[in-house]
Amino acid sequence: QASRLVELPYSSFDDDDDDDGHSVPRDTAEQDSGLWYPDHPKASPFSRCVRYLAFLWNLLFLLLGLLILAVGVWGLLAKSPLPGDERGVPLSSDPMLLFVLAGLAASAVSLAGCLGTFCASPCLLRFFLGAVLAFGGLEVLGGLLLLLARRRLRDALRDLLLLCLLRYREDPDLQFLVDEVQRSLRCCGLDSYRDWESNPYFNCSAPGVQACGVPASCCQDPLQNGSVPNAQCGFGVLGLGAAAA
């Protein structure tokens, strides 16, 4: 009899209750309670360290993205035309728009990474991982395109640089970039200083005082042993010979 009682899954009282339809076996109740109230495993010190490092890393990129966004917005607002001035750079061709878009993208992805790491949100972490993988895929695709279309890109870049020389005086941002490139590389024009003849302000047939000249960033010594850069050091250079220039 004892052996028979041991083999029974539950007592006779449970049978009576089951017949009435009001009781649930203990094993089933324990399983159901385990499904509704799972025991979360404790995080190891290594996983917590990785979590904190990921949060700090995304926080750093969030601050960097906000800084880039602030620079882009400041550049767009600083170059807004005056009420009586009809001249202005179109928004679609403004280099500061790239800063705004890059700052927004970096801020959004970094914010998702910070919140997903801090709150342990699977949705935000999936978005962050997908965005990082998408950016990495775009970089790899861009590198492959650079390798496959080097000649076409070189010709396109040459045409773009010639357009930069042509619009040198029309866009202050473009003027700043061209001057910085010429100063850092110690160059003047693409092939030679004669490339500046394509600019209507520096062409010898131009009516202004900058006719037959080049920008001051072409000068080897723009300070000319002084403390203030000489903005007129390139005047009249196109009218000289190659050796004198």
Side-chain angles (χ1 to χ4, degrees):
Q1 293 178 355
S3 62
R4 292 179 180 177
L5 291 176
V6 171
E7 292 176 357
L8 291 175
Y10 41 84
S11 64
S12 60
F13 295 101
D14 295 329
D15 292 335
D16 297 337
D17 294 336
D18 290 340
D19 294 336
D20 297 335
H22 297 289
S23 67
V24 180
R26 294 180 179 178
D27 297 340
T28 307
E30 291 176 0
Q31 292 177 1
D32 292 341
S33 62
L35 291 175
W36 287 104
Y37 304 99
D39 295 332
H40 296 282
K42 296 182 179 180
S44 62
F46 177 75
S47 62
R48 281 184 290 182
C49 181
V50 172
R51 181 178 177 182
Y52 293 150
L53 288 177
F55 176 78
L56 293 176
W57 185 258
N58 285 288
L59 181 61
L60 177 63
F61 273 91
L62 176 61
L63 296 177
L64 181 61
L66 292 176
L67 178 61
I68 296 175
L69 177 62
V71 170
V73 172
W74 172 79
L76 292 177
L77 295 178
K79 292 190 307 175
S80 59
L82 297 176
D85 191 3
E86 298 180 355
R87 297 177 303 172
V89 181
L91 183 62
S92 59
S93 61
D94 199 326
M96 287 298 171
L97 186 61
L98 296 177
F99 285 86
V100 174
L101 296 178
L104 284 175
S107 301
V109 174
S110 301
L111 182 60
C114 287
L115 295 179
T117 306
F118 183 77
C119 302
S121 175
C123 182
L124 292 176
L125 290 176
R126 291 192 191 99
F127 171 76
F128 172 74
L129 180 60
V132 171
L133 292 178
F135 288 153
L138 290 177
E139 291 180 359
V140 173
L141 182 61
L144 293 177
L145 291 178
L146 287 176
L147 292 177
L148 296 176
R150 287 177 295 179
R151 295 182 179 179
R152 293 183 180 179
L153 290 176
R154 181 178 59 187
D155 295 339
L157 182 61
R158 182 181 179 83
D159 295 339
L160 179 61
L161 292 176
L162 287 175
L163 182 62
C164 291
L165 298 185
L166 184 63
R167 299 180 55 189
Y168 176 77
R169 288 297 185 186
E170 298 177 4
D171 190 350
D173 290 332
L174 186 61
Q175 180 177 346
F176 172 78
L177 291 175
V178 171
D179 288 338
E180 288 297 321
V181 169
Q182 291 192 147
R183 290 193 190 98
S184 59
L185 299 180
R186 301 183 66 85
C187 62
C188 187
L190 274 71
D191 296 327
S192 67
Y193 67 99
R194 291 290 180 182
D195 294 332
W196 284 102
E197 290 180 351
S198 60
N199 189 288
Y201 293 93
F202 295 105
N203 192 279
C204 292
S205 60
V209 295
Q210 297 177 348
C212 268
V214 294
S217 58
C218 288
C219 301
Q220 293 184 356
D221 186 16
L223 296 178
Q224 293 182 350
N225 298 326
S227 59
V228 180
N230 184 10
Q232 301 179 1
C233 61
F235 283 13
V237 172
L238 294 178
L240 303 175

